[in-house]
Amino acid sequence: MNNFVYDIPTKVYFGENQLGKLAQELLKFGRRVLMTYGGGSIKKIGLYDRVVGELKAAGIELYELSGIEPNPRIESVREGARMCKEHNIDVLLAVGGGSTLDATKFMAAGACVDHDPWEFFGADAKPIECALPIVTILTLAATGSEMDTGGVISNLATGDKLGRLAPALLPRVSFLDPTLTYSVSRFQTACGAADMMSHIIEVYFNTQKDLFMLDCFMEGMLKTIVKYAPIALREPENYEARANLMWTSSWAINGFINGGKRKAWSCHPMEHELSAIYDITHGLGLAILTPRWMEYCLDETTVDKYVQYGVNVFGIDASQDKMTIARESIRLTAEFLFDTLGLQRTFGQVGIKREDYAVMAQKACRYGDIKGFKTLTPADVERIFEMCEQ
Ligand code: NZQ
Ligand code: ZN
């Protein structure tokens, strides 16, 4: 196993009726709070009133920024950073899904610098040395933003959707109440499951053979998604299903499973180019790409990983020959994503056009070839895009 540093100090309040601790946690950082949220789902589920009531009762000076978009835009980040400076904010409270959380992270960082927050992104990105403290209330299990150091922001003016990691962006406290996800639509529940599945697959499909403990952990999380996502679709208010999915989303990307792995992620850089141009939901793009990428990477040098995955996650009969098991593991992954979760399966169904493949492939490789499970050049990425047509 490689050397690694594991340092995830986010304090998590997990479960129902934990919001009574919200005000006291915020007050540890100060009295002036900027609360951020999206397009209104938190009002529909009564969460907005609960949170505002709680904070006002505690004497907190509350400012608000609403309307953060799915695939959040740099304009929202700029506005949040500006408000933090104008009102001398002590702590940011992000209430929502990954988009709200991600945008809030860069508002918190933008509040500490004089330059445009977009300069945190790209090849010549400015350092993120500090950020205001961030507290989150998660309402959608998917991205893991509640417990990770990353975020992804879109810039329509440049046609880019770029991610950035920095320890300063890690939420200090996150409230994870599975009942807040009961109202998440079938589609977003399915996309969330596909996203967390991809976060694990990006790490699990690895040629290193010495990560047995972490492999077992990842297989357990993959089995959790395969078991509970269909239940959450059938019974949106099934606490056990929502709770298992929510905690899996956090652990899929909080750094624990990485274990010093040095290979890059593959489907995420490709997907971010799809949602940059077509504004599709991240998990949907991943669902379409993942089985095709798996198929593209399968050969005699990689087959063992597919066998391990197919046997341990999907229970495929281990006595068959390796290639048969590997192909069956890809078929079962596609069946789960497209038939069980009901996500669309081709680029054509979501309106992605061939004329954009070349530019999306070049941008997916903007930092060089993708050195993942198998190294992908722009030409490889274009080939995977073509496979997404069938
Ligand atoms: O805006 P509102 O009204 O809140 O509605 C949202 C939005 O329309 C709705 N929603 C959220 N919670 C709800 C709810 N609807 C009903 N009931 C609830 N309880 O769901 C829609 C999607 O929300 P969004 O926050 O966009 O979804 P998600 O959590 O999947 O976040 C996606 C973004 O995160 C990025 C993605 O690229 C994308 O931009 N990612 C962030 C990562 C990270 N921080 O590490 C990693 C991921 O790989 C990903 O790239
Ligand atoms: Zn993702």
Side-chain angles (χ1 to χ4, degrees):
M1 225 189 260
N2 296 323
N3 292 359
F4 61 88
V5 175
Y6 170 74
D7 182 17
I8 307 297
T10 302
K11 179 174 182 178
V12 171
Y13 284 89
F14 191 94
E16 232 181 321
N17 300 325
Q18 297 264 35
L19 284 179
K21 301 285 191 308
L22 177 62
Q24 80 185 47
E25 288 295 346
L26 287 167
L27 284 167
K28 287 181 188 166
F29 305 109
R31 198 160 283 282
R32 300 163 79 85
V33 175
L34 176 63
M35 172 174 160
T36 57
Y37 55 99
S41 69
I42 68 161
K43 292 194 170 165
K44 284 194 199 125
I45 63 174
L47 178 60
Y48 174 86
D49 288 339
R50 261 168 81 191
V51 170
V52 170
E54 180 109 12
L55 301 192
K56 294 247 158 100
I60 281 173
E61 199 174 320
L62 191 60
Y63 298 85
E64 283 183 32
L65 176 59
S66 63
I68 295 169
E69 314 80 2
N71 296 325
R73 313 281 194 256
I74 189 64
E75 287 79 8
S76 296
V77 174
R78 288 182 182 128
E79 175 59 8
R82 189 197 64 72
M83 288 179 73
C84 288
K85 290 175 184 168
E86 181 185 333
H87 301 296
N88 203 14
I89 292 297
D90 296 313
V91 49
L92 291 92
L93 171 62
V95 188
S99 294
T100 294
L101 272 54
D102 281 8
T104 306
K105 288 176 174 179
F106 295 101
M107 293 171 199
C112 300
V113 296
D114 291 327
H115 62 74
D116 180 10
W118 187 244
E119 293 181 33
F120 289 136
F121 298 91
D124 302 317
K126 293 241 163 71
I128 298 182
E129 278 151 4
C130 82
L132 295 179
I134 301 154
V135 173
T136 82
I137 302 175
L138 185 68
T139 65
L140 198 170
T143 65
S145 189
E146 65 277 9
M147 211 178 173
D148 79 6
T149 60
V152 191
I153 301 296
S154 295
N155 185 333
L156 296 187
T158 62
D160 289 313
K161 178 175 178 183
L162 297 178
R164 177 73 197 267
L165 302 169
L169 302 177
L170 193 68
R172 306 290 184 93
V173 185
S174 282
F175 287 83
L176 310 187
D177 176 350
T179 67
L180 297 178
T181 66
Y182 285 173
S183 55
V184 175
S185 67
R186 281 184 68 82
F187 174 68
Q188 288 293 344
T189 299
C191 289
D195 189 18
M196 57 182 103
M197 189 171 199
S198 172
H199 295 160
I200 302 162
I201 285 177
E202 296 269 32
V203 181
Y204 182 85
F205 279 80
N206 186 350
T207 43
Q208 256 173 267
K209 295 196 191 298
D210 58 353
L211 298 172
F212 182 77
M213 175 269 195
L214 292 173
D215 277 357
C216 292
F217 190 84
M218 288 186 262
E219 287 157 10
M221 289 201 293
L222 289 166
K223 284 161 77 170
T224 302
I225 298 163
V226 170
K227 173 174 174 162
Y228 283 111
I231 297 175
L233 291 180
R234 275 199 312 274
E235 303 166 33
E237 302 199 3
N238 184 309
Y239 186 86
E240 183 180 325
R242 293 293 193 180
N244 275 279
L245 290 172
M246 194 171 223
W247 202 213
T248 300
S249 84
S250 305
W251 279 85
I253 194 175
N254 72 1
F256 175 73
I257 60 173
N258 201 42
K261 176 177 174 278
R262 295 196 189 98
K263 298 276 184 181
W265 287 19
S266 303
C267 291
H268 274 68
M270 291 191 276
E271 194 297 312
H272 286 160
E273 299 312 325
L274 309 184
S275 41
I277 296 189
Y278 292 96
D279 202 18
I280 61 169
T281 300
H282 173 63
L284 172 61
L286 291 170
I288 298 173
L289 287 165
T290 298
R292 280 60 184 238
W293 167 77
M294 289 173 71
E295 206 177 319
Y296 195 74
C297 295
L298 175 60
D299 62 24
E300 290 298 333
T301 67
T302 58
V303 65
D304 287 346
K305 201 72 211 188
Y306 295 76
V307 172
Q308 183 189 347
Y309 167 76
V311 170
N312 293 345
V313 176
F314 285 106
I316 298 172
D317 174 3
S319 67
Q320 302 173 82
D321 77 272
K322 286 182 182 182
M323 273 297 166
T324 305
I325 297 172
R327 293 210 177 86
E328 180 64 358
S329 78
I330 298 170
R331 192 191 69 72
L332 288 171
T333 304
E335 184 180 87
F336 176 72
L337 294 165
F338 305 133
D339 299 331
T340 308
L341 297 185
L343 292 168
Q344 291 146 305
R345 67 175 73 224
T346 66
F347 276 4
Q349 288 172 324
V350 298
I352 296 174
K353 298 199 177 71
R354 195 172 257 253
E355 66 207 41
D356 291 318
Y357 291 179
V359 67
M360 293 193 301
Q362 285 296 338
K363 283 188 163 187
C365 300
R366 69 178 74 223
Y367 305 121
D369 294 347
I370 300 171
K371 295 203 164 57
F373 184 43
K374 283 194 83 168
T375 296
L376 303 177
T377 65
D380 294 315
V381 173
E382 275 196 69
R383 180 69 201 110
I384 292 169
F385 288 164
E386 284 163 14
M387 291 165 74
C388 294
E389 293 172 353
Q390 306 299 322

